[in-house]
Amino acid sequence: QVQLVESGGGLVQAGGSLRLSCAISGRPYSSYVIGWLRQAPGKEREFVASTRWRDTRTYYADSVKGRFTISKDNAENMVWLQMNELKFEDTAVYYCAAGINPYDNFFRWGQGTQVTVSS
């Protein structure tokens, strides 16, 4: 079973940038997808971005396309989410998760890291 630990959250002004990190322990199966999801107060958790472990395919929510970039290093078992042009509505707890489907049904989750964007 993989374990995922997020880091890199914090407080940033609107228009700023943050880089989230996800450290993965254990070996992800080649069929795995590693994703970032977020949950804002009073809202349901939503998909942000994901990447297939076996290749370079990436997937993004429309709300973050062109602003966020997901990347990974298989040798280091690391996945990152570079967030640029942050908006107030990006404020949420961000989770790193493992699954098979690139958009939903993730089954292993990290503990989350808080991102707060001040307007």
Side-chain angles (χ1 to χ4, degrees):
Q1 293 277 17
V2 296
Q3 304 290 328
L4 307 110
V5 178
E6 306 93 335
S7 61
L11 174 65
V12 64
Q13 287 188 330
S17 299
L18 275 177
R19 189 192 196 204
L20 304 183
S21 299
C22 176
I24 304 168
S25 60
R27 181 182 292 275
Y29 290 108
S30 61
S31 58
Y32 274 17
V33 169
I34 304 297
W36 288 95
L37 298 94
R38 66 187 182 187
Q39 187 167 19
K43 295 187 177 180
E44 293 186 355
R45 191 147 44 187
E46 64 174 357
F47 168 78
V48 175
S50 65
T51 180
R52 291 196 180 273
W53 196 247
R54 69 159 63 105
D55 55 41
T56 59
R57 282 179 286 177
T58 57
Y59 308 84
Y60 294 94
D62 288 342
S63 59
V64 306
K65 278 181 183 175
R67 300 189 298 123
F68 291 10
T69 302
I70 189 169
S71 61
K72 65 183 174 73
D73 184 326
N74 290 49
E76 296 294 326
N77 271 20
M78 291 291 298
V79 175
W80 298 275
L81 184 69
Q82 178 66 44
M83 305 186 295
N84 299 328
E85 301 175 34
L86 282 160
K87 304 176 181 180
F88 175 75
E89 50 265 39
D90 294 319
T91 296
V93 177
Y94 283 71
Y95 298 89
C96 181
I100 301 296
N101 187 309
Y103 295 104
D104 55 20
N105 293 324
F106 292 90
F107 49 77
R108 296 292 293 179
W109 295 82
Q111 82 287 352
T113 186
Q114 176 71 47
V115 172
T116 303
V117 184
S118 61
S119 57

